[in-house]
Amino acid sequence: MGKVLMKGNEVIAEAAVHAGCKYFFGYPITPQSELVAYMVRRLPEVGGLFLQAESEVAAINMVYGAAGTGVRVMTSSSSPGFSLKQEGISYLVGAELPALIVNVVRGGPGLGNIQPAQSDYFQVTKGGGHGDYHTPVLAPSTLQEIIDLTEAAFDIADQYRTPVILLGDGMLGQMMEPVEFKELTERDPEQKEWATTGTRGDGKPRIISSLELNADALEKRNELLQEKFAMIKQNEVRYDTFETEDADYIVTAYGTAARIAMNAINKARKDGLKIGMIRPITLWPFPEQPFIETRDRVKGYLSVEMSAGQMVEDVRLAVEGRAPVSFFGRTGGVVPTQEEIYDQIIKLAGGVEV
Amino acid sequence: MTMKTVFEKTTGLTDNQTHYCPGCTHGIIHRMVGEVLEEMGILEDTVGVASVGCSVLSYEYFNCDMTQAAHGRAPAVATGIKRVLPDRFVFTYQGDGDLASIGIAEAVHAAARGENITVIFVNNAIYGMTGGQMAPTTLVGQKTATTPFGRDGSIQGLPIRVSEMLSTLDGTAYIERVSTHDVPNIVKAKKAIRKAFETQKQGLGFSMVEILSSCPTNWGLDPNESLDWIKDNMVPAYPLGVYKDSQKGGVR
């Protein structure tokens, strides 16, 4: 197909179409509006449907209804809008319905601003809505990676009957990069025996519900959900490492922060410092393994985030106190610079020999 | 002597025993909806959406595919289903707390979009499931758990007349308010439910039947007194009749 220059938000949209998604219910919010606008034009071309809802709450509940029919369906939003979707996400988890929810994170709390941030980490990885649950969270750091991870997100959603979150930030959403898509092929929609499509002579009626009034029965359902989460933890962890084998110090970051940190690490390597990187791709399940493998031989870790320090808590849990973990972050939509991160690395490593 | 069957349970309902309080008219309304689905031969092409409140378990009672929606969100959930499966029948079954309070936005916008779905709106002027609190449809002067001195319009605001309000929207195709307080009205109610589903069958847009219903438990009345209370208090506040019929044109 060749490379095309596209905006991040549009790459997510086209990647979803490539993954066989034909239904989008959304509500405009900056900085992800291009995704919505792209879908309006694109979905009818593949026989799909776009509908602008009256609110994020309605949009996620439309997704819930459509997901119940067994089709690939998605919505997207940004931080304040994502908060409103948490009600529906909890219901999707409870009723075990697959869907893709995109969060292009902006600065908060409250209305915040429309600049890039990673301050929704807690919200997306720790449940966010009510009840005991997790949703798989995929965090690409390049526009090309968005293409693979969007497809993976739909596959995980279908395989485990769960909503999956694709987490970007305003920078990824707004930047342009050349990307390459595979040829678009028509997929046969998967028939799902649990889907409510009208029984049509196909046996007893089906029910989609997250209600279980009996406490013991609800506990049993929760246990089954926890077993599912354990399976996802076992099977779906993704991460990337860079020169961790000989590293004295390891920087860890995801998404946009990882891209910038990578430049700082490259510079530090040129200056003779042994710095490596662990880049979580799934934020939940969090990749503990690369930390377990390195924690007894490195001198320390540095978590770089566009937040006041959220992922750093998971890093500390994975490191289990066997090595020092420090943190550097910018908040409010400020993107850390390569120089700032480089300075933090130098500070951590105790300077560069001249 | 051969016995002739003169009355049977509708296949539109399951054999599950309902949980509704004695004297509550949800049972009658369920049966009418079930009968209409059976008589129209559309049970196997129907997906129902249950709401939150007394009717939360209605997915156990209707003999068709059912989805349980969050409080107030049934019209949005129904939209999602119907937009994917435009040739199926999709209905929501909602009470007044669900539809007129927390879910008013979803109801108004589904109606405004002209979603080709049918809403069964059961109005008993009170929150039943949560223990008899004020609903948007609670009458002025009506005592509830949260209006112990009677609803005072200057403090708690005034009741919402949902049928009147939605009938002003261009997207609505059929809206009728009926009651369950006596047999003639129950017969009319069933006709209205049938008309609403016929409207959906013809693809004309949003249809809703508002059904005045009783709540003996939370009104503190016996079942007969409750039926009288509907007739004497609710019907004057919520006049019965067809509010919108796009085939005939105009608003009542």
Side-chain angles (χ1 to χ4, degrees):
Chain A
M1 242 182 106
K3 290 204 168 184
V4 282
L5 187 64
M6 282 177 84
K7 205 169 191 176
N9 285 328
E10 296 176 344
V11 174
I12 299 172
E14 185 57 40
V17 170
H18 269 72
C21 174
K22 289 193 174 168
Y23 299 91
F24 185 103
F25 300 91
Y27 186 79
I29 181 169
T30 312
Q32 60 82 58
S33 296
E34 296 86 358
L35 206 171
V36 177
Y38 188 91
M39 281 302 205
V40 178
R41 292 167 182 274
R42 187 69 176 104
L43 283 175
E45 293 175 357
V46 292
L49 173 117
F50 170 91
L51 187 64
Q52 181 168 324
E54 65 271 25
S55 68
E56 286 90 347
V57 177
I60 191 72
N61 281 284
M62 289 172 186
V63 166
Y64 179 99
T69 72
V71 296
R72 284 197 161 181
V73 55
M74 72 182 288
T75 185
S76 68
S77 196
S78 180
S79 308
F82 187 82
S83 294
L84 290 173
K85 290 187 195 291
Q86 293 287 2
E87 170 192 285
I89 296 170
S90 170
Y91 277 78
L92 285 162
V93 174
E96 298 195 78
L97 294 177
L100 176 66
I101 300 126
V102 178
N103 184 1
V104 181
V105 182
R106 64 190 238 185
L111 200 50
N113 61 18
I114 57 169
Q115 309 301 323
Q118 296 182 324
S119 45
D120 292 358
Y121 181 92
F122 284 155
Q123 197 185 26
V124 296
T125 59
K126 310 297 181 192
H130 60 284
D132 277 316
Y133 77 88
H134 290 284
T135 42
V137 183
L138 300 171
S141 73
T142 69
L143 301 203
Q144 187 64 46
E145 194 181 19
I146 284 174
I147 296 171
D148 294 336
L149 292 189
T150 303
E151 182 167 10
F154 276 112
D155 290 342
I156 292 169
D158 276 343
Q159 187 180 342
Y160 299 94
R161 286 181 61 183
T162 179
V164 175
I165 294 164
L166 185 78
L167 191 79
D169 59 62
M171 180 73 90
L172 275 177
Q174 295 296 321
M175 74 191 303
M176 292 183 85
E177 278 184 328
V179 292
E180 189 163 10
F181 285 93
K182 281 182 261 178
E183 207 67 48
L184 179 63
T185 49
E186 183 71 24
R187 288 164 178 253
D188 285 331
E190 197 189 329
Q191 294 299 320
K192 294 161 178 165
E193 33 74 39
W194 50 263
T196 49
T197 55
T199 56
R200 314 208 118 191
D202 187 26
K204 284 171 69 174
R206 289 153 296 208
I207 294 169
I208 288 170
S209 171
S210 59
L211 179 68
E212 189 59 77
L213 290 171
N214 179 284
D216 288 329
L218 184 57
E219 185 175 51
K220 184 78 203 150
R221 250 171 113 147
N222 267 286
E223 283 165 6
L224 290 173
L225 284 176
Q226 292 300 323
E227 279 173 25
K228 175 159 85 178
F229 300 147
M231 266 174 67
I232 296 172
K233 260 183 112 158
Q234 207 179 344
N235 302 334
E236 303 302 335
V237 173
R238 289 169 184 241
Y239 59 90
D240 215 1
T241 57
F242 172 75
E243 295 188 356
T244 52
E245 301 79 12
D246 68 336
D248 289 328
Y249 295 92
I250 290 177
V251 175
T252 182
Y254 68 95
T256 291
R259 294 174 68 129
I260 304 165
M262 199 61 222
N263 292 335
I265 291 166
N266 282 329
K267 181 168 179 350
R269 278 264 165 193
K270 269 187 204 150
D271 294 341
L273 293 172
K274 289 179 179 168
I275 311 294
M277 174 173 234
I278 297 172
R279 179 173 71 92
I281 295 171
T282 49
L283 302 184
W284 191 90
F286 187 75
E288 291 159 359
Q289 196 54 33
F291 294 94
I292 291 168
E293 283 166 12
T294 54
R295 67 194 185 187
D296 289 325
R297 57 181 157 86
V298 300
K299 293 176 185 164
Y301 297 88
L302 171 67
S303 184
V304 176
E305 303 172 45
M306 284 144 61
S307 79
Q310 299 192 13
M311 183 178 78
V312 65
E313 294 190 3
D314 284 334
V315 174
R316 290 200 172 107
L317 285 171
V319 171
E320 287 188 317
R322 290 168 192 244
V325 176
S326 52
F327 168 75
F328 174 71
R330 299 295 304 267
T331 63
V334 179
V335 179
T337 64
Q338 178 187 323
E339 291 72 27
E340 278 175 331
I341 299 170
Y342 177 82
D343 289 348
Q344 291 294 321
I345 293 170
I346 298 303
K347 212 168 102 186
L348 188 68
V352 184
E353 279 182 40
V354 231
Chain B
M1 195 178 90
T2 52
M3 300 277 268
K4 193 183 166 199
T5 304
V6 293
F7 184 78
E8 277 184 293
K9 186 183 83 69
T10 172
T11 59
L13 295 179
T14 63
D15 289 332
N16 292 328
Q17 198 173 342
T18 67
H19 68 286
Y20 298 114
C21 299
C24 167
T25 48
H26 262 307
I28 295 171
I29 301 166
H30 272 42
R31 211 181 75 196
M32 290 190 291
V33 173
E35 284 175 357
V36 167
L37 295 175
E38 183 193 1
E39 287 162 17
M40 288 177 70
I42 57 173
L43 263 172
E44 294 195 334
D45 293 320
T46 297
V47 184
V49 184
S51 59
V52 170
C54 290
S55 55
V56 68
L57 290 171
S58 60
Y59 59 78
E60 299 275 8
Y61 309 142
F62 291 111
N63 195 19
C64 58
D65 275 5
M66 292 291 294
T67 295
Q68 213 293 310
H71 39 307
R73 318 299 178 217
V77 173
T79 297
I81 298 167
K82 186 74 181 187
R83 291 294 183 124
V84 176
L85 304 169
D87 62 339
R88 309 304 144 87
F89 289 85
V90 179
F91 76 94
T92 72
Y93 190 101
Q94 302 176 260
D96 44 60
D98 187 85
L99 184 145
S101 192
I102 193 167
I104 193 83
E106 284 78 7
V108 167
H109 286 278
R113 285 191 302 268
E115 293 296 341
N116 196 34
I117 60 172
T118 299
V119 171
I120 305 297
F121 170 43
V122 181
N123 178 2
N124 63 6
I126 205 161
Y127 281 76
M129 168 78 71
T130 46
Q133 295 82 8
M134 184 189 78
T137 48
T138 292
L139 303 180
V140 171
Q142 187 181 340
K143 287 184 179 171
T144 71
T146 50
T147 55
F149 312 111
R151 183 174 187 169
D152 179 343
S154 70
I155 298 172
Q156 288 102 6
L158 296 162
I160 297 176
R161 293 191 181 89
V162 175
S163 287
E164 286 86 333
M165 182 171 76
L166 295 189
S167 62
T168 65
L169 298 169
D170 292 339
T172 56
Y174 186 76
I175 292 183
E176 180 169 355
R177 183 186 288 127
V178 293
S179 179
T180 51
H181 67 267
D182 60 21
V183 173
N185 275 289
I186 289 169
V187 171
K188 273 189 198 166
K190 189 178 163 187
K191 277 186 189 153
I193 293 167
R194 174 137 191 159
K195 174 84 178 174
F197 276 101
E198 297 281 1
T199 300
Q200 183 177 162
K201 192 176 183 178
Q202 292 166 60
L204 297 174
F206 186 87
S207 55
M208 184 183 81
V209 184
E210 176 177 349
I211 306 170
L212 303 185
S213 173
S214 67
C215 184
T217 301
N218 288 303
W219 291 353
L221 302 171
D222 74 27
N224 280 327
E225 289 168 347
S226 295
L227 297 178
D228 288 340
W229 199 84
I230 297 177
K231 182 177 66 182
D232 298 337
N233 297 285
M234 286 190 74
V235 172
Y238 297 108
L240 308 181
V242 177
Y243 281 84
K244 180 80 171 280
D245 186 345
S246 63
Q247 284 168 297
K248 290 183 181 162
V251 176
R252 173 194 160 114

